[in-house]
Every structure is written in C-alpha cells, then in structure tokens.
Amino acid sequence: MEPSSLTSAQPSKSSSPFPVNPQNQIRPLYLLPLHATLNSPKGFGSPPKKNKKTKKSKSSGDDNEEEEEEEEEEEEENEAEAGVIPEVVTNRMISRMGFTVGIPLLVGLLFFPFFYYLKVGLKIDVPTWVPFIVSFIFFGTALLGVSYGIVSSSWDPLREGSVLGWNEAQKNWPVFWQSIWGGGSRKK
C-alpha cells in the first residue's frame, strides 16, 4: 500500500451503511412533540407575576403612591394564593384517603386467597361469581374512598375535624359538586 493513498483518501458518499440526511442533521420525529412541550410550557393557569421592588426616596407625595403599590401587591398575592390548598389540609386529605382507600382495598385483596383456600384447601365449591361480586364491592368502595377522603377532611387549616369526618363531608359535598359541575362558568 502506498502511504499517499492513506492520507489522501477522501470519504466517499456511500461510506456509511445508514441513510444520511442531506443536511447531516439527525431529527427523530418522536422527539418533536416533547421538544414542543418543553419549548413553551403553559401549565393550568397564568404564571404568577414577578414583582420588582424598587426603593424610592421618601417624600410627602410619594407616601400615598407607595401605600397604593403595597395594597396592589397584597391583592395580587392574595389572588395568587386563593386557588392553593394549604399543605396542612393536603396532608389531612392524603391521610384520610389512605384509610378510606387502603382498608377496603386490602380487604378486597385478602378475599382472593380466602376463596382459593375454600376451593382448594377445604374442597368447597364456591361459584365463580361470588369472588367477582365481593371484589367488585370492595374495590368500588375503595374507589369511593378517594372522594370521601377528600370531602371528609376539614378544609379549614386551623380546625382538625372529627374522626369519621361526617360533619365535614356534609358541608363539603355541595362545594365539591359545585366545583365539578359549575367549574366552567367562572367569571374571568
């Protein structure tokens, strides 16, 4: 082999076994929707406004303007916090849902080995519809437990509420249904 042939070798256009884009750009199509999502995230609401606080020299005429600006900032903060559930209330809801979903779900799951033991161990002929009905009842109760866990917790951050939450549920059910059915008719 000649040494000049190794150094002067130019890559041929057919050197790659894979098809190459004319602009030598790799743009997989499955990444385009993800890129579009990350490019301009919108979320569920308008982003909170960032307030720039500047210090001005105080004079007698500027005092009223500063007070008005502070009031406007407080109103904006209150509007932003109006739709936020306090962390204390969220923790209450999650703990309620843990019980109202977990207990029926656990009982429903424990019935499967119980029916297996009845059929195989004790040789009792259990109709197949019985485990289906029992699991349907307990899993349905667990599904309803999600809503009851949310509604039965006290939505007031300062008040703990009762153990079963029946009084809170009676107060919160109308608000819950109104938020679901009347959610589209908010004033903007």
Side-chain angles (χ1 to χ4, degrees), residues 18-93:
F18 303 108
V20 179
N21 195 350
Q23 291 112 6
N24 289 332
Q25 294 178 352
I26 299 173
R27 293 178 48 191
L29 294 177
Y30 61 88
L31 290 179
L32 289 178
L34 177 65
H35 176 67
T37 304
L38 294 175
N39 193 13
S40 62
K42 299 203 184 208
F44 291 105
S46 61
K49 296 179 182 177
K50 295 180 182 178
N51 295 330
K52 295 181 181 178
K53 295 183 179 180
T54 57
K55 294 184 178 180
K56 298 179 182 177
S57 61
K58 292 185 179 181
S59 64
S60 62
D62 290 338
D63 288 340
N64 292 336
E65 291 176 8
E66 287 180 8
E67 289 176 4
E68 290 175 4
E69 288 177 5
E70 289 176 6
E71 290 175 2
E72 289 176 3
E73 288 176 2
E74 289 176 8
E75 289 175 6
E76 289 175 1
E77 289 176 3
N78 290 338
E79 288 175 4
E81 293 177 359
V84 177
I85 300 173
E87 187 176 352
V88 176
V89 176
T90 305
N91 292 339
R92 270 189 224 140
M93 289 179 183

